[in-house]
Coordinates of all heavy atoms in Angstrom, one line a residue:
L967 N -4.2 6.5 -5.2 CA -5.1 5.6 -4.5 C -5.5 6.1 -3.2 O -6.6 6.0 -2.8 CB -4.3 4.2 -4.4 CG -5.1 3.0 -3.8 CD1 -6.3 2.7 -4.6 CD2 -4.2 1.8 -3.7
G968 N -4.5 6.6 -2.4 CA -4.8 7.1 -1.1 C -5.8 8.3 -1.1 O -6.7 8.3 -0.3
V969 N -5.5 9.3 -1.9 CA -6.4 10.5 -1.9 C -7.8 10.1 -2.3 O -8.8 10.5 -1.8 CB -5.9 11.5 -2.9 CG1 -6.9 12.7 -3.1 CG2 -4.6 12.1 -2.3
T970 N -7.9 9.2 -3.3 CA -9.3 8.7 -3.8 C -10.1 8.1 -2.7 O -11.2 8.4 -2.5 CB -9.1 7.7 -5.0 OG1 -8.4 8.4 -6.0 CG2 -10.5 7.3 -5.5
L971 N -9.4 7.1 -2.0 CA -10.1 6.4 -0.9 C -10.4 7.3 0.3 O -11.4 7.2 0.9 CB -9.2 5.2 -0.5 CG -9.1 4.1 -1.5 CD1 -8.2 3.0 -1.0 CD2 -10.5 3.5 -1.8
M972 N -9.5 8.3 0.5 CA -9.7 9.2 1.6 C -10.9 10.1 1.4 O -11.7 10.3 2.4 CB -8.5 10.1 1.8 CG -7.5 9.7 2.9 SD -6.3 10.9 3.2 CE -4.9 10.4 2.3
Y973 N -11.1 10.6 0.2 CA -12.3 11.4 -0.1 C -13.6 10.5 0.0 O -14.6 11.0 0.4 CB -12.1 12.0 -1.5 CG -11.4 13.3 -1.4 CD1 -10.1 13.4 -1.8 CD2 -12.0 14.5 -1.0 CE1 -9.4 14.6 -1.7 CE2 -11.4 15.7 -0.9 CZ -10.0 15.8 -1.3 OH -9.4 17.0 -1.2
M974 N -13.5 9.3 -0.4 CA -14.6 8.4 -0.4 C -15.1 8.1 1.0 O -16.3 8.0 1.3 CB -14.3 7.1 -1.1 CG -14.2 7.2 -2.6 SD -13.6 5.6 -3.4 CE -14.9 4.5 -2.9
F975 N -14.2 8.0 2.0 CA -14.5 7.6 3.3 C -14.4 8.7 4.4 O -14.4 8.5 5.6 CB -13.7 6.4 3.8 CG -14.0 5.1 3.0 CD1 -13.3 4.8 1.8 CD2 -15.0 4.3 3.4 CE1 -13.6 3.6 1.1 CE2 -15.4 3.1 2.7 CZ -14.7 2.8 1.6
L976 N -14.2 9.9 3.9 CA -13.9 11.1 4.8 C -14.9 11.3 5.8 O -14.6 11.5 7.0 CB -13.7 12.3 3.9 CG -13.4 13.6 4.7 CD1 -12.2 13.5 5.6 CD2 -13.4 14.8 3.8
Y977 N -16.2 11.2 5.4 CA -17.3 11.5 6.3 C -17.7 10.3 7.2 O -18.6 10.4 8.0 CB -18.5 12.0 5.6 CG -18.2 13.3 4.9 CD1 -17.8 13.4 3.6 CD2 -18.4 14.5 5.7 CE1 -17.5 14.7 3.0 CE2 -18.1 15.8 5.1 CZ -17.7 15.8 3.8 OH -17.5 17.1 3.2
K978 N -16.9 9.2 7.2 CA -17.1 8.1 8.1 C -16.4 8.3 9.4 O -16.5 7.5 10.3 CB -16.5 6.8 7.4 CG -17.2 6.4 6.1 CD -18.6 6.0 6.4 CE -19.2 5.5 5.0 NZ -20.6 5.0 5.2
G979 N -15.7 9.5 9.5 CA -15.0 9.8 10.7 C -13.5 10.0 10.5 O -13.0 9.3 9.6
P980 N -12.8 10.8 11.2 CA -11.4 11.1 11.0 C -10.5 9.8 11.1 O -9.5 9.7 10.5 CB -11.0 12.1 12.0 CG -12.1 12.1 13.1 CD -13.3 11.6 12.4
I981 N -10.9 8.9 12.0 CA -10.1 7.7 12.2 C -10.0 6.8 10.9 O -9.1 6.1 10.7 CB -10.7 6.9 13.4 CG1 -9.6 6.0 14.0 CG2 -11.9 6.0 12.9 CD1 -8.6 6.7 14.8
S982 N -11.1 7.0 10.0 CA -11.1 6.2 8.8 C -9.9 6.6 7.9 O -9.5 5.8 7.1 CB -12.4 6.4 8.1 OG -12.6 7.8 7.7
I983 N -9.5 7.8 8.0 CA -8.3 8.3 7.2 C -7.1 7.5 7.4 O -6.4 7.1 6.5 CB -8.1 9.8 7.4 CG1 -9.3 10.6 6.8 CG2 -6.8 10.3 6.8 CD1 -9.2 12.1 7.0
I984 N -6.8 7.2 8.7 CA -5.6 6.4 9.1 C -5.8 4.9 8.6 O -4.9 4.3 8.2 CB -5.3 6.5 10.6 CG1 -5.3 7.9 11.1 CG2 -4.0 5.7 10.9 CD1 -4.9 8.0 12.5
I985 N -7.0 4.4 8.8 CA -7.3 3.0 8.3 C -7.0 2.9 6.8 O -6.4 1.9 6.4 CB -8.7 2.6 8.7 CG1 -8.9 2.6 10.2 CG2 -9.0 1.2 8.1 CD1 -10.3 2.4 10.7
I986 N -7.5 3.9 6.1 CA -7.3 3.9 4.6 C -5.8 3.9 4.3 O -5.3 3.2 3.4 CB -8.0 5.1 4.0 CG1 -9.5 4.9 4.0 CG2 -7.5 5.3 2.5 CD1 -10.0 3.7 3.3
E987 N -5.1 4.7 5.1 CA -3.6 4.9 4.9 C -2.9 3.5 5.1 O -2.0 3.2 4.4 CB -3.1 6.0 5.8 CG -1.6 6.3 5.4 CD -1.1 7.5 6.3 OE1 -1.7 7.8 7.3 OE2 -0.1 8.1 5.9
I988 N -3.3 2.8 6.1 CA -2.7 1.5 6.4 C -2.9 0.5 5.3 O -2.0 -0.2 4.8 CB -3.3 0.9 7.7 CG1 -2.9 1.7 8.9 CG2 -2.8 -0.5 7.9 CD1 -3.6 1.4 10.2
I989 N -4.2 0.5 4.7 CA -4.5 -0.4 3.6 C -3.7 0.0 2.4 O -3.1 -0.9 1.7 CB -6.0 -0.3 3.3 CG1 -6.8 -0.8 4.5 CG2 -6.3 -1.1 2.0 CD1 -8.3 -0.6 4.3
V990 N -3.6 1.3 2.1 CA -2.9 1.7 0.9 C -1.4 1.4 1.0 O -0.7 0.9 0.1 CB -3.1 3.3 0.7 CG1 -2.1 3.8 -0.4 CG2 -4.5 3.5 0.3
N991 N -0.8 1.7 2.2 CA 0.6 1.5 2.4 C 1.0 0.0 2.3 O 2.1 -0.4 1.9 CB 1.1 2.1 3.7 CG 1.2 3.6 3.7 OD1 1.5 4.2 2.6 ND2 1.0 4.3 4.8
S992 N 0.1 -0.8 2.8 CA 0.3 -2.3 2.7 C 0.3 -2.7 1.2 O 1.2 -3.6 0.8 CB -0.8 -3.0 3.4 OG -0.8 -2.7 4.8
I993 N -0.6 -2.2 0.4 CA -0.6 -2.5 -1.0 C 0.7 -2.0 -1.7 O 1.3 -2.7 -2.5 CB -1.8 -1.9 -1.7 CG1 -3.1 -2.5 -1.2 CG2 -1.7 -2.0 -3.2 CD1 -4.4 -1.7 -1.6
I994 N 1.1 -0.8 -1.3 CA 2.3 -0.2 -1.9 C 3.6 -1.0 -1.5 O 4.5 -1.2 -2.3 CB 2.5 1.3 -1.6 CG1 1.3 2.1 -2.2 CG2 3.8 1.8 -2.0 CD1 1.2 2.0 -3.7
L995 N 3.6 -1.5 -0.3 CA 4.7 -2.3 0.2 C 4.9 -3.5 -0.6 O 6.0 -3.9 -1.1 CB 4.5 -2.6 1.7 CG 5.6 -3.6 2.3 CD1 7.0 -3.0 2.2 CD2 5.3 -4.0 3.7
F996 N 3.8 -4.2 -0.9 CA 3.8 -5.4 -1.7 C 4.3 -5.1 -3.2 O 5.1 -5.8 -3.7 CB 2.5 -6.1 -1.8 CG 2.5 -7.4 -2.5 CD1 3.1 -8.5 -2.1 CD2 1.8 -7.5 -3.8 CE1 3.1 -9.7 -2.8 CE2 1.8 -8.6 -4.5 CZ 2.5 -9.8 -4.0
L997 N 3.8 -4.0 -3.7 CA 4.2 -3.5 -5.1 C 5.7 -3.2 -5.1 O 6.4 -3.6 -6.1 CB 3.4 -2.3 -5.5 CG 3.7 -1.7 -6.8 CD1 3.4 -2.7 -7.9 CD2 2.9 -0.4 -7.0
T998 N 6.2 -2.6 -4.0 CA 7.6 -2.3 -3.9 C 8.5 -3.5 -3.9 O 9.5 -3.6 -4.5 CB 7.9 -1.4 -2.7 OG1 7.0 -0.3 -2.7 CG2 9.3 -0.9 -2.7
M999 N 8.0 -4.5 -3.1 CA 8.7 -5.8 -3.0 C 8.8 -6.5 -4.3 O 9.8 -7.1 -4.7 CB 8.1 -6.6 -1.9 CG 8.2 -6.1 -0.5 SD 7.2 -7.0 0.7 CE 8.0 -8.6 0.8
L1000 N 7.7 -6.4 -5.1 CA 7.7 -7.0 -6.5 C 8.8 -6.4 -7.3 O 9.5 -7.1 -8.1 CB 6.4 -6.9 -7.1 CG 5.2 -7.7 -6.6 CD1 3.9 -7.3 -7.2 CD2 5.5 -9.2 -6.8
N1001 N 9.0 -5.1 -7.2 CA 10.0 -4.4 -8.0 C 11.4 -4.7 -7.6 O 12.3 -4.8 -8.4 CB 9.7 -2.9 -8.0 CG 8.7 -2.4 -9.0 OD1 8.9 -2.2 -10.1 ND2 7.4 -2.3 -8.5
I1002 N 11.6 -4.9 -6.2 CA 12.9 -5.2 -5.7 C 13.2 -6.6 -6.2 O 14.4 -6.9 -6.5 CB 12.9 -5.2 -4.2 CG1 12.9 -3.7 -3.7 CG2 14.0 -6.0 -3.6 CD1 14.2 -3.0 -4.0
R1003 N 12.2 -7.5 -6.3 CA 12.5 -8.9 -6.8 C 13.0 -8.8 -8.2 O 13.9 -9.5 -8.6 CB 11.2 -9.7 -6.7 CG 11.4 -11.1 -7.2 CD 10.0 -11.9 -7.3 NE 9.1 -11.3 -8.3 CZ 8.0 -11.8 -8.6 NH1 7.5 -12.9 -8.0 NH2 7.2 -11.3 -9.5
K1004 N 12.4 -7.9 -9.0 CA 12.8 -7.7 -10.4 C 14.2 -7.2 -10.6 O 15.0 -7.7 -11.4 CB 11.8 -6.8 -11.1 CG 12.1 -6.5 -12.5 CD 11.1 -5.5 -13.1 CE 11.5 -5.1 -14.6 NZ 10.5 -4.1 -15.1
Y1005 N 14.6 -6.2 -9.8 CA 15.9 -5.5 -10.0 C 17.0 -6.1 -9.3 O 18.2 -6.0 -9.7 CB 15.8 -4.0 -9.7 CG 15.0 -3.2 -10.7 CD1 13.6 -2.9 -10.4 CD2 15.5 -2.8 -11.9 CE1 12.9 -2.2 -11.4 CE2 14.8 -2.1 -12.8 CZ 13.5 -1.8 -12.6 OH 12.8 -1.1 -13.5
L1006 N 16.7 -6.8 -8.1 CA 17.8 -7.4 -7.3 C 17.7 -8.9 -7.2 O 18.5 -9.5 -6.5 CB 17.8 -6.7 -5.9 CG 18.2 -5.3 -5.8 CD1 18.1 -4.8 -4.3 CD2 19.5 -4.9 -6.4
D1007 N 16.8 -9.5 -7.9 CA 16.6 -10.9 -7.9 C 16.4 -11.4 -6.5 O 17.1 -12.3 -6.0 CB 17.8 -11.6 -8.6 CG 17.5 -13.1 -8.8 OD1 16.3 -13.5 -8.9 OD2 18.5 -13.9 -8.8
Y1008 N 15.5 -10.7 -5.8 CA 15.3 -11.0 -4.3 C 13.9 -11.6 -4.2 O 12.9 -10.9 -4.3 CB 15.4 -9.7 -3.6 CG 15.8 -9.8 -2.1 CD1 16.4 -8.8 -1.5 CD2 15.5 -11.0 -1.4 CE1 16.8 -8.9 -0.1 CE2 15.9 -11.1 -0.1 CZ 16.6 -10.0 0.5 OH 17.0 -10.2 1.9
K1009 N 13.8 -12.9 -3.9 CA 12.5 -13.6 -3.8 C 11.6 -13.0 -2.7 O 12.1 -12.5 -1.6 CB 12.7 -15.1 -3.4 CG 13.4 -15.8 -4.5 CD 13.6 -17.3 -4.1 CE 14.3 -18.1 -5.2 NZ 14.6 -19.5 -4.8
I1010 N 10.3 -12.9 -3.0 CA 9.3 -12.3 -2.1 C 9.3 -13.0 -0.7 O 9.3 -12.3 0.3 CB 7.9 -12.4 -2.7 CG1 7.8 -11.6 -4.0 CG2 6.9 -11.9 -1.6 CD1 7.9 -10.1 -3.8
L1011 N 9.4 -14.3 -0.7 CA 9.4 -15.0 0.6 C 10.6 -14.7 1.4 O 10.5 -14.5 2.7 CB 9.3 -16.5 0.3 CG 9.1 -17.4 1.6 CD1 7.8 -17.1 2.3 CD2 9.1 -18.9 1.2
D1012 N 11.8 -14.5 0.8 CA 13.0 -14.2 1.5 C 12.9 -12.8 2.0 O 13.4 -12.5 3.1 CB 14.2 -14.3 0.5 CG 14.5 -15.7 0.1 OD1 14.2 -16.6 0.9 OD2 15.2 -15.9 -0.9
Q1013 N 12.2 -11.9 1.3 CA 12.0 -10.5 1.8 C 11.1 -10.5 3.0 O 11.4 -9.8 4.0 CB 11.4 -9.6 0.7 CG 12.3 -9.4 -0.5 CD 11.7 -8.5 -1.5 OE1 11.3 -7.4 -1.2 NE2 11.5 -9.0 -2.7

């Protein structure tokens, strides 16, 4: 996801690369929390 979006917005300026990274990492954090809920029975709100 990160590499795909980076190449899409590369010519928008180098700062766009970090913005893309923030968006991607936020999505991945939520995905990781969903998996933690599954394996450790840890509610998302509690996390």
Side-chain angles (χ1 to χ4, degrees):
L967 183 60
V969 170
T970 302
L971 292 175
M972 263 191 261
Y973 273 103
M974 288 175 62
F975 292 91
L976 176 61
Y977 292 95
K978 298 293 183 181
I981 204 74
S982 64
I983 291 178
I984 306 182
I985 296 173
I986 290 298
E987 190 176 17
I988 293 170
I989 295 170
V990 171
N991 283 332
S992 299
I993 294 170
I994 295 302
L995 173 59
F996 183 70
L997 180 61
T998 308
M999 292 169 70
L1000 288 175
N1001 279 276
I1002 287 292
R1003 182 186 66 176
K1004 176 182 177 182
Y1005 287 99
L1006 295 182
D1007 190 28
Y1008 207 154
K1009 295 179 181 179
I1010 296 294
L1011 189 59
D1012 291 338
Q1013 294 182 58

